């Protein structure tokens, strides 16, 4: 059966989530992005690792760490992987997505470990993919 383009993205909405045909279940969420330096630490451990492990212990949906290739922060010094002397403290982004309630409850745990950096909160729509079905 051929669908017209306007039928492809038809949705059924509820207050908490939507079922988008051909995509999966979507719901409102909150994305926390913590921007820090690669050399930032917490008790002899990389800070990004501490944040990920705290998110895991808190039961959040997931966390990922992304290493930047160039950037600057409060010091206004540009860190880049192109210069060996400045490549020791590259920018790092820790991204965590979950419900707004769970992310906001997690913020005090981030606040405990951050000395210098920035945390950004963004409203987002989360699409849950339950896994591939047979024949797809």
């Amino acid at each position: 059966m051929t669908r017209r383009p306007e039928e492809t993205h038809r949705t059924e909405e509820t207050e908490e989530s939507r079922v988008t045909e051909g995509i999966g279940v979507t719901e409102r969420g909150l994305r926390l992005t913590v921007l820090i330096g690669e050399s930032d630490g917490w008790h002899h451990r990389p800070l990004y690792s501490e944040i990920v492990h705290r998110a895991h212990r808190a039961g959040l949906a997931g966390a990922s760490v992304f290493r930047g290739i160039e950037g600057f922060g409060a010091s206004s010094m540009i860190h880049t992987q192109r210069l060996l002397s400045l490549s020791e403290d590259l920018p790092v982004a820790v991204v965590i997505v979950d419900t707004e309630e769970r992310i906001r409850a997690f913020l005090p745990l981030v606040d405990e470990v951050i000395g210098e950096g920035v945390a950004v909160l963004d409203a987002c729509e989360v699409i849950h993919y339950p896994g591939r079905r047979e024949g797809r």
Side-chain angles (χ1 to χ4, degrees):
M1 179 175 158
T2 305
R3 293 188 188 140
R4 294 188 307 244
E6 63 272 15
E7 292 177 331
T8 304
H9 298 289
R10 184 181 58 220
T11 61
E12 297 175 24
E13 293 191 37
T14 67
E15 277 192 37
E16 295 300 316
S17 65
R18 297 189 317 188
V19 176
T20 305
E21 190 175 318
I23 293 180
V25 177
T26 65
E27 66 181 348
R28 291 187 184 117
L30 197 62
R31 175 178 49 218
L32 168 63
T33 305
V34 181
L35 304 168
I36 54 178
E38 186 176 30
S39 68
D40 293 345
W42 176 257
H43 296 282
H44 309 290
R45 176 185 206 167
L47 180 56
Y48 59 83
S49 181
E50 179 65 23
I51 294 169
V52 167
H53 285 264
R54 284 178 179 227
H56 185 257
R57 284 193 305 269
L60 297 180
S64 297
V65 177
F66 301 94
R67 184 178 191 222
I69 59 172
E70 188 168 65
F72 69 93
S75 70
S76 293
M77 177 180 262
I78 294 180
H79 298 271
T80 177
Q81 69 180 39
R82 291 179 290 160
L83 301 172
L84 287 177
S85 63
L86 297 177
S87 66
E88 297 167 358
D89 192 24
L90 291 171
V92 172
V94 181
V95 179
I96 305 168
V97 178
D98 208 313
T99 64
E100 180 173 357
E101 179 181 311
R102 292 172 63 95
I103 291 291
R104 291 198 183 276
F106 181 68
L107 288 175
L109 297 176
V110 174
D111 188 58
E112 288 177 3
V113 297
I114 293 211
E116 183 179 340
V118 174
V120 179
L121 293 171
D122 296 300
C124 62
E125 191 169 343
V126 180
I127 303 171
H128 295 276
Y129 293 96
R132 295 286 179 199
R133 292 182 284 275
E134 291 286 327
R136 192 168 176 206

